[in-house]
Amino acid sequence: MNQRLYYLVCAPGVATARQAIWVATCLLQLTLFTVIVPLPLRAAQPEALAINHDPQFFIDDYLVDNRWGVNYLTETVTRVFHQPQKDHRNPVIPENGGYLNVLRDEQTGLFRMWYEQYWYQSAEPLKYTFGIGYAESTDGLHWKRPRIGKYEFKGTRDNNIVLLGPGNGLAQAQFLLEVPAEHRRGYKYVMLWSTYVAGENGLHLVGSQNGIDWDPASDTRISPGFIPDTHTSIVWDPRLKKFVCFTRAVNIYEGEGQRRKIARLEHTALWEPWPILPQNILLPDTLDARTNHNYFYGMPARYYAGIYWGFLWPYQYEKDIFTELAFSRDGIRFDRLANRPHLVDPGPQNRWDAGMVLASPSWVEVGDEWWIYYSGSKQQHDTYEQDTGIGLLRVRKEGLVSLHSPAGGGHVVTRLLRWPGGKLLVNADLADSQLTVRVTDYDRQPLKDFDSQPSLPLTGDSTRHEVHWEAGDLRDLQGRLLRLEFFMNGEADLYTFLAAPSGDR
């Protein structure tokens, strides 16, 4: 603003009408100039997903930006569920069964199992109790139930009971926790369990160094009076930095038709009383109602590779229970596969698992397979006296769900990813096709400093295909934004991909 304009604006009393018009014209020009010549805008940045070195699953479209068939008018890339197969040697543990957990000792390779033991004593008066049994195996198929002799159960100490609970009974619904070492209070194993015994009723935590001798001094009641009456689980979410519990909201809903749903709790601490404020997160729907499975008996869960894996137990009142897969990226909104395939079905009539099958998410990786254990019962839920056993399911490692390309071939394009470094490994069955991978930018154009051509083709069936390019190495792209574009030239199953940490070149 020049001196003349400044003077006239600040001293309007001395301005003539002609001068006033001139001032207004100058101010209008300044305003128009400001509108017409704005400040430069910051360039928009494309959104990218930061992944880590865990397997990246195609269980949903979280990672997928697009997928289509080469013959797009008649074919597409579809999501397929692969049901685990029952081992022909089942039951691997006969005449025992209940809620169970299995792990494999990282030092010895020994398979270790903790399971609920049920003792039905009489109908009139109705009397039954529970204890926690233990078994171990060198191969996961042939199990020994060691004679521990600590507690009297079923009239004898010649048994494998490792925890009986107060009042010589009613220790039930155990769940082995996978939590960081700093939350274990120095124990190798931490177990969640519950009891109805007056003065002790509620959920408890207890620690052990060997999984057999559980330290009574560590026993902590974290939910006085809250007894969910199902296989409650607690998992650690490293992103939330919280412990998340999946249970029933029995403090809100009492009737059986009301309480048999899936609820969630969370807390920042483990070994202290939890705020009992459950919220239901998963309810039966119209697809469940088609077969009268209008209840959920429970959903033990596991957190693995950024996903909550829920083994859901749909329940037809006083009848059968089967196991179905549910999954979530945030632990609140759970999805179920489109056609509701069963993870495990009850067996044929009069078989040991004909009535109810309850699978545990504590799978064990054995070579290129996941081994999943489940408890089965010959009778349905309306019978107190049960004939039970424990069986084994086998499925491909990371192989519950795949993206399936049709015979004409198909494409899968990921969202823009921030590459964490390392080489690319792919879990895929390419027995009837080949797979190649392109590395591109947001606009699906080749990176300027990477091979513009697809990778060398992969063939065959492997859980860890290693992808190579003639003129590029993904290990050089750490921190860069990129897409992975998978092309299958025939019928194939794409399960996961993995950014393997960089090793020696």
Side-chain angles (χ1 to χ4, degrees):
M1 189 181 295
N2 59 33
Q3 287 184 343
R4 184 182 179 195
L5 178 58
Y6 178 82
Y7 173 78
L8 291 173
V9 170
C10 294
V14 299
T16 65
R18 180 179 297 177
Q19 289 171 332
I21 294 172
W22 181 82
V23 170
T25 303
C26 290
L27 292 174
L28 179 61
Q29 289 175 340
L30 287 172
T31 303
L32 290 174
F33 180 79
T34 303
V35 173
I36 294 171
V37 188
L39 293 174
L41 297 176
R42 181 178 297 177
Q45 296 295 318
E47 181 183 0
L49 285 178
I51 63 172
N52 55 24
H53 296 293
D54 288 334
Q56 303 298 317
F57 286 82
F58 292 111
I59 194 169
D60 54 14
D61 282 335
Y62 175 75
L63 294 164
V64 178
D65 195 63
N66 206 348
R67 49 187 169 89
W68 67 93
V70 172
N71 300 326
Y72 59 88
L73 293 179
T74 58
E75 296 181 328
T76 190
V77 173
T78 57
R79 185 164 285 105
V80 175
F81 174 74
H82 302 270
Q83 186 180 46
Q85 299 301 301
K86 295 181 179 180
D87 192 275
H88 69 277
R89 288 157 287 203
N90 283 343
V92 294
I93 299 181
E95 301 172 358
N96 281 261
Y99 304 141
L100 61 91
N101 296 103
V102 182
L103 58 80
R104 195 172 188 183
D105 189 276
E106 61 274 12
Q107 278 84 39
T108 66
L110 189 70
F111 292 77
R112 311 191 72 186
M113 180 188 296
W114 295 262
Y115 61 95
E116 184 183 79
Q117 284 262 41
Y118 172 65
W119 180 18
Y120 174 74
Q121 294 159 274
S122 67
E124 294 292 342
L126 180 60
K127 187 177 180 181
Y128 57 88
T129 191
F130 298 93
I132 309 303
Y134 170 77
E136 59 188 35
S137 171
T138 57
D139 61 4
L141 295 168
H142 304 90
W143 290 82
K144 295 180 180 179
R145 288 165 280 180
R147 304 298 94 185
I148 295 172
K150 293 184 67 172
Y151 302 100
E152 185 172 327
F153 192 72
K154 297 186 178 181
T156 179
R157 285 183 176 267
D158 184 20
N159 59 52
N160 64 334
I161 300 295
V162 296
L163 188 67
L164 198 57
N168 293 322
L170 287 176
Q172 62 174 350
Q174 85 300 326
F175 186 85
L176 271 290
L177 274 59
E178 295 183 38
V179 297
E182 60 267 26
H183 296 291
R184 297 183 184 180
R185 292 193 169 180
Y187 295 103
K188 183 174 182 178
Y189 303 102
V190 176
M191 183 167 68
L192 175 72
W193 64 284
S194 65
T195 184
Y196 286 97
V197 175
E200 300 289 340
N201 58 344
L203 295 173
H204 290 243
L205 290 176
V206 65
S208 173
Q209 297 296 353
N210 59 15
I212 295 175
D213 301 302
W214 294 89
D215 184 4
S218 71
D219 193 280
T220 304
R221 187 163 53 145
I222 62 173
S223 69
F226 180 70
I227 311 168
D229 188 29
T230 190
H231 201 193
T232 295
S233 54
I234 294 177
V235 302
W236 168 252
D237 188 326
R239 296 170 302 185
L240 295 177
K241 303 297 182 185
K242 289 183 178 180
F243 299 94
V244 181
C245 174
F246 297 98
T247 184
R248 292 177 181 168
V250 294
N251 60 317
I252 304 173
Y253 304 105
E254 295 183 357
E256 292 187 352
Q258 301 174 32
R259 63 187 172 91
R260 284 177 168 149
K261 313 292 162 54
I262 307 303
R264 179 185 187 274
L265 298 167
E266 66 176 38
H267 196 30
T268 54
L270 183 62
W271 296 83
E272 66 177 38
W274 283 46
I276 306 303
L277 299 170
Q279 178 180 354
N280 279 329
I281 57 166
L282 192 58
L283 305 176
D285 60 18
T286 54
L287 294 182
D288 298 300
R290 292 182 307 182
T291 56
N292 293 324
H293 289 82
N294 298 312
Y295 312 91
F296 293 148
Y297 207 78
M299 189 185 72
R302 178 178 188 173
Y303 184 88
Y304 177 79
I307 298 173
Y308 288 84
W309 303 79
F311 279 27
L312 183 66
W313 299 336
Y315 169 49
Q316 182 180 186
Y317 183 69
E318 295 294 17
K319 299 296 181 182
D320 69 298
I321 301 174
F322 58 85
T323 304
E324 182 189 318
L325 179 64
F327 55 91
S328 173
R329 296 279 179 175
D330 62 8
I332 299 173
R333 292 170 291 273
F334 274 81
D335 292 313
R336 301 162 69 187
L337 295 170
N339 295 322
R340 303 288 172 79
H342 298 177
L343 191 77
V344 56
D345 288 297
Q349 188 175 8
N350 294 323
R351 287 275 293 167
W352 69 276
D353 60 351
M356 300 182 288
V357 284
L358 309 176
S360 168
S362 58
W363 64 75
V364 179
E365 187 174 307
V366 181
D368 286 338
E369 291 185 328
W370 280 355
W371 287 16
I372 301 169
Y373 292 87
Y374 72 100
S375 63
S377 173
K378 186 176 182 179
Q379 292 80 18
Q380 295 186 331
H381 194 267
D382 56 358
T383 304
Y384 277 107
E385 193 166 8
Q386 298 279 336
D387 298 309
T388 60
I390 295 173
L392 169 63
L393 306 169
R394 302 170 72 161
V395 70
R396 179 193 189 95
K397 174 183 175 180
E398 302 160 11
L400 291 173
V401 176
S402 71
L403 289 180
H404 183 81
S405 63
H411 297 262
V412 176
V413 180
T414 71
R415 293 173 60 183
L416 195 65
L417 309 174
R418 187 174 296 280
W419 189 248
K423 56 191 177 182
L424 175 63
L425 304 179
V426 176
N427 183 344
D429 182 355
L430 308 169
D432 299 315
S433 67
Q434 291 184 339
L435 180 144
T436 55
V437 186
R438 292 178 67 227
V439 178
T440 60
D441 63 13
Y442 170 80
D443 296 308
R444 299 190 59 223
Q445 300 302 309
L447 302 185
K448 294 180 180 180
D449 54 351
F450 194 79
D451 196 334
S452 62
Q453 298 302 309
S455 68
L456 301 176
L458 301 174
T459 59
D461 184 2
S462 174
T463 61
R464 289 294 182 263
H465 292 280
E466 187 170 341
V467 186
H468 296 280
W469 286 262
E470 286 189 349
D473 192 326
L474 271 182
R475 289 175 290 187
D476 297 328
L477 301 182
Q478 183 173 353
R480 296 279 296 278
L481 303 186
L482 55 85
R483 295 186 191 272
L484 298 176
E485 303 197 12
F486 300 92
F487 171 65
M488 290 81 77
N489 72 352
E491 196 166 356
D493 285 290
L494 175 62
Y495 295 90
T496 62
F497 70 88
L498 173 72
S502 298
D504 295 334
R505 291 182 181 273

